[in-house]
Amino acid sequence: MDKILILDFGGQYNQLIARRVRAEHVFAEIRPYSKVTCEDIVRSGYKGLIFTGGPNSVYDPNSPHFDPAILRLGVPLLGICYGHQLTAYMAGGTIAPAEGGSEYGKTKLYVSHCKLFEGVPEESICWMSHTDYVRVIPEGFQVIAHTDNCPCAGIADESAKIYGVQFHPEVTHTEYGTQILKNFVFSVCGCAPDWKMDDFIAGSVEKYRKELSGKKVLLALSGGVDSSVAAVLLHQAIGDRLFCVFVDHGLLRKNEGDFVEQTLGKKLGLNLIRVNAQERFLTKLRGVTEPEKKRKIIGEEFIRVFETEASKLGKLDLLAQGTIYPDVIESGKGDSAVIKSHHNVGGLPKNISFEGIVEPLRELFKDEVREVGTRLGIPRELVWRQPFPGPGLAVRVIGEITEEKLSLLREADAIFREELDNAKLETPCSQYFAVITDTRSVGVMGDARTYGYTLALRSVVTDDFMTAEWARLPYEVLEKASNRITNEVRGITRVVYDITSKPPATVEWE
Ligand code: XMP
């Protein structure tokens, strides 16, 4: 399989570059610039290299640099933003602060004919975000693009297959960005489009069938997309030697535990062990109001329950997890199996010893995981599930967690989600749910005075959950949800809508 290596110099769009390349069915991986040597590049047989952007200036004493020998490897290279400046600098060019000041945002781009710009009109729009620029190009290079403010927005040494662009082809604001990346991977690097999810599934099943022959594997199933897809994939390879433990801590949404059991256990035939530990968790949480304490209790209790169940299964050889590629990149390692620190319910048992960890999805982005899930026959409802925090509804019940509050929340949350799903909004929300507050207020129903809880509705739009906008929901949707909740859920007298973005708020309330 042909591969592109993306060398990470600290840019904010690095994952986007990899996703764009993979969308063309060419495998791309991201590695920190400091961990890759020329020998690695040659040994791994990469067909092309992409240097990412980054916040530095090449002249900063601490700025990331690279062995200039990379330019002589004969491997095609595309530098983007800082990567472009660094390429020019390493090849003997000069970098300087842009004379017209920083260039930021949508900018008119003028290109001249070359392999990288095949099919790109002479004038189009690109996305710029830079302070420095390439003032003197290195010997052997030509300027292939400019903007009104930046005389050197692109360089090329076509005979060496080395290119640099000051703008960001990976962001959608660059009109011909996809075309430029396609030109690089196909015309310049000569990659074949052979990264296909069906092949990934077949290859993984075969690999694990061999590698895990005779082994027993344990998997903590949360019912989320990643652990479910990992489970179904491994089940195809090793059948009932995969033991999926699903802990129902009583903090799941309405009908969620049954849904997971029905779909993954009964329909898809996984060897699923559902542990009904609701009482255990609620007892431990009684009287606890402090958010971090709630999380800690749930995390610890989860491990204890999981250990007890695992010990009933006898000797288990390996632990499987639904780690995905962004987890691997964000852990900053990119090369070692680390137990997901932010794993669903705060970690996994430390005192059961395993021979190793199996992470069948560690190369995949979320959209690829979803595609694999769909191809494996997992229902849409599960594959497209919105994220749900490991500590579950515990972080959506403000103050003490009681059965009453949990039950009111489950009903109200189900109504809100149903109304939003029915609304089929043009811009779908990324996550939407209800939160039950600890505040009660007076209401009136018929002729009677009521006194019940205040419920908050939360709905956000985001790409990465690091930042999020509150969703501008149509009033009719909010009105219908509010009417239904106050009518159908006795005990809730007031409904409010959270209009805070992240930052300054977080998505969850606790
Ligand atoms: P915050 O509240 O930090 O949430 O803005 C960002 C995203 O992370 C989810 N979240 C969690 N997921 N365990 C998880 O698996 C957790 O403890 C946890 N806390 C928050 C949250 O639902 C949102 O999607």
Side-chain angles (χ1 to χ4, degrees), residues 28 48 51 55 80 92 106 115 121 149 167 251 257 287 313 323 332 364 367 448 497:
F51 283 10
I80 295 176
K106 287 187 181 177
K115 252 190 173 165
N149 276 329
F167 59 91
L251 302 161
L313 297 170
T323 314
L364 304 190
D367 41 352
Y497 186 53

Side-chain angles (χ1 to χ4, degrees), residues 187-500:
S187 308
V188 179
C189 302
C191 291
D194 51 11
W195 170 245
K196 304 244 167 78
M197 287 305 112
D198 277 339
D199 297 343
F200 171 84
I201 295 172
S204 303
V205 170
E206 192 177 320
K207 172 179 147 179
Y208 290 119
R209 199 169 275 155
K210 280 192 200 133
E211 278 181 21
L212 304 177
S213 157
K215 305 272 186 202
K216 282 164 87 177
V217 180
L218 178 68
L219 181 140
L221 191 78
S222 69
V225 186
D226 305 341
S227 65
S228 302
V229 175
V232 176
L233 187 62
L234 284 175
H235 182 252
Q236 293 217 339
I238 63 167
D240 282 355
R241 278 184 286 112
L242 176 73
F243 296 84
C244 303
V245 174
F246 169 51
V247 177
D248 183 345
H249 48 27
L251 302 161
L252 300 171
R253 288 166 291 195
K254 188 177 176 183
N255 299 334
E256 194 165 26
D258 295 344
F259 171 73
V260 170
E261 191 178 357
Q262 278 293 331
T263 316
L264 295 173
K266 303 236 158 67
K267 273 204 200 127
L268 291 169
L270 297 195
N271 183 5
L272 186 145
I273 299 132
R274 176 173 177 177
V275 190
N276 289 314
Q278 294 91 329
E279 271 211 35
R280 235 177 117 153
F281 280 88
L282 288 189
T283 309
K284 286 269 170 183
L285 288 165
R286 198 162 291 146
V288 180
T289 55
E290 213 258 305
E292 277 313 300
K293 206 162 167 203
K294 284 182 190 171
R295 281 175 184 270
K296 219 163 161 251
I297 291 172
I298 296 166
E300 278 166 12
E301 201 56 20
F302 178 87
I303 293 174
R304 222 144 284 148
V305 173
F306 194 74
E307 274 170 357
T308 310
E309 288 308 312
S311 66
K312 289 185 196 158
L313 297 170
K315 169 95 181 83
L316 293 154
D317 304 295
L318 294 122
L319 179 73
Q321 317 196 111
T323 314
I324 68 171
Y325 198 45
D327 305 327
V328 175
I329 304 169
E330 277 150 29
S331 70
K333 313 286 189 301
D335 47 10
S336 65
V338 216
I339 301 240
K340 222 172 158 179
S341 58
H342 57 279
H343 193 279
N344 280 317
V345 201
L348 283 168
K350 291 189 180 58
N351 52 356
I352 315 180
S353 58
F354 293 101
E355 270 169 35
I357 296 169
V358 189
E359 297 173 310
L361 310 178
R362 61 179 280 123
E363 282 184 339
L364 304 190
F365 284 110
K366 195 84 173 186
D367 41 352
E368 294 172 320
V369 172
R370 291 205 162 105
E371 195 183 332
V372 168
T374 305
R375 284 168 191 269
L376 287 170
I378 303 177
R380 199 185 148 73
E381 242 176 304
L382 212 160
V383 168
W384 285 97
R385 252 174 157 202
Q386 52 171 309
F388 185 61
L393 298 183
V395 293
R396 297 178 184 170
V397 173
I398 311 304
E400 186 181 1
I401 300 167
T402 62
E403 300 232 20
E404 184 205 11
K405 277 159 94 182
L406 273 174
S407 147
L408 295 175
L409 176 60
R410 271 197 200 99
E411 295 303 321
D413 178 69
I415 293 172
F416 181 48
R417 286 188 290 123
E418 189 182 317
E419 287 305 326
L420 254 186
D421 293 343
N422 289 343
K424 302 211 175 351
L425 301 178
E426 231 168 80
T427 314
C429 301
S430 316
Q431 198 173 5
Y432 41 104
F433 53 87
V435 175
I436 189 159
T437 72
D438 212 18
T439 300
R440 291 198 211 210
S441 69
V442 174
V444 55
M445 249 201 163
D447 291 330
R449 174 189 184 277
T450 54
Y451 187 58
Y453 285 102
T454 303
L455 184 95
L457 303 179
R458 178 85 165 133
S459 174
V460 295
V461 179
T462 172
D463 279 334
D464 55 11
F465 294 91
M466 313 280 274
T467 61
E469 279 280 314
W470 63 272
R472 273 59 171 174
L473 295 186
Y475 283 167
E476 305 77 62
V477 176
L478 288 168
E479 183 181 21
K480 185 135 188 244
S482 163
N483 279 345
R484 278 195 59 196
I485 290 168
T486 44
N487 275 315
E488 294 173 34
V489 190
R490 284 291 148 87
I492 291 178
T493 40
R494 202 169 289 262
V495 176
V496 298
Y497 186 53
D498 182 349
I499 55 164
T500 339

Side-chain angles (χ1 to χ4, degrees), residues 10-299:
Q12 27 169 346
Y13 305 125
N14 301 352
Q15 292 193 26
L16 210 50
I17 304 174
R19 282 166 58 196
R20 294 267 182 270
V21 173
R22 289 193 190 188
E24 301 306 323
H25 302 289
V26 174
F27 186 72
E29 59 188 12
I30 304 173
R31 299 186 57 191
Y33 77 95
S34 56
K35 293 212 168 168
V36 179
T37 62
C38 286
E39 293 75 57
D40 294 333
I41 294 171
V42 174
R43 197 178 337 105
S44 303
Y46 293 108
K47 296 275 280 195
L49 307 170
I50 298 180
F51 283 10
T52 75
N56 299 82
S57 164
V58 293
Y59 293 113
D60 290 346
N62 296 325
S63 64
H65 280 199
F66 198 87
D67 180 358
I70 197 171
L71 300 178
R72 297 186 290 274
L73 290 176
V75 182
L77 165 64
L78 172 65
I80 295 176
C81 198
Y82 177 80
H84 152 74
Q85 294 165 10
L86 187 63
T87 305
Y89 177 70
M90 288 188 332
T94 310
I95 315 301
E99 277 139 33
S102 301
E103 216 176 10
Y104 184 80
K106 287 187 181 177
T107 308
K108 209 181 249 185
L109 176 76
Y110 308 93
V111 302
S112 47
H113 183 72
C114 68
K115 252 190 173 165
L116 192 67
F117 295 143
E118 270 163 27
V120 180
E122 274 173 32
E123 255 185 68
S124 64
I125 296 296
C126 73
W127 182 260
M128 280 290 199
S129 174
H130 69 116
T131 304
D132 284 357
Y133 83 117
V134 177
R135 185 158 69 189
V136 181
I137 63 166
E139 225 182 284
F141 281 75
Q142 294 172 339
V143 173
I144 53 169
H146 67 277
T147 68
D148 292 330
N149 276 329
C150 181
C152 177
I155 55 169
D157 175 347
E158 291 221 87
S159 60
K161 299 188 177 181
I162 297 176
Y163 295 84
V165 289
Q166 184 56 69
F167 59 91
H168 288 270
E170 70 277 22
V171 305
T172 48
H173 306 307
T174 297
E175 278 179 321
Y176 289 85
T178 302
Q179 182 65 39
I180 294 168
L181 290 173
K182 270 165 82 170
N183 289 343
F184 179 67
V185 297
F186 296 124
S187 308
V188 179
C189 302
C191 291
D194 51 11
W195 170 245
K196 304 244 167 78
M197 287 305 112
D198 277 339
D199 297 343
F200 171 84
I201 295 172
S204 303
V205 170
E206 192 177 320
K207 172 179 147 179
Y208 290 119
R209 199 169 275 155
K210 280 192 200 133
E211 278 181 21
L212 304 177
S213 157
K215 305 272 186 202
K216 282 164 87 177
V217 180
L218 178 68
L219 181 140
L221 191 78
S222 69
V225 186
D226 305 341
S227 65
S228 302
V229 175
V232 176
L233 187 62
L234 284 175
H235 182 252
Q236 293 217 339
I238 63 167
D240 282 355
R241 278 184 286 112
L242 176 73
F243 296 84
C244 303
V245 174
F246 169 51
V247 177
D248 183 345
H249 48 27
L251 302 161
L252 300 171
R253 288 166 291 195
K254 188 177 176 183
N255 299 334
E256 194 165 26
D258 295 344
F259 171 73
V260 170
E261 191 178 357
Q262 278 293 331
T263 316
L264 295 173
K266 303 236 158 67
K267 273 204 200 127
L268 291 169
L270 297 195
N271 183 5
L272 186 145
I273 299 132
R274 176 173 177 177
V275 190
N276 289 314
Q278 294 91 329
E279 271 211 35
R280 235 177 117 153
F281 280 88
L282 288 189
T283 309
K284 286 269 170 183
L285 288 165
R286 198 162 291 146
V288 180
T289 55
E290 213 258 305
E292 277 313 300
K293 206 162 167 203
K294 284 182 190 171
R295 281 175 184 270
K296 219 163 161 251
I297 291 172
I298 296 166

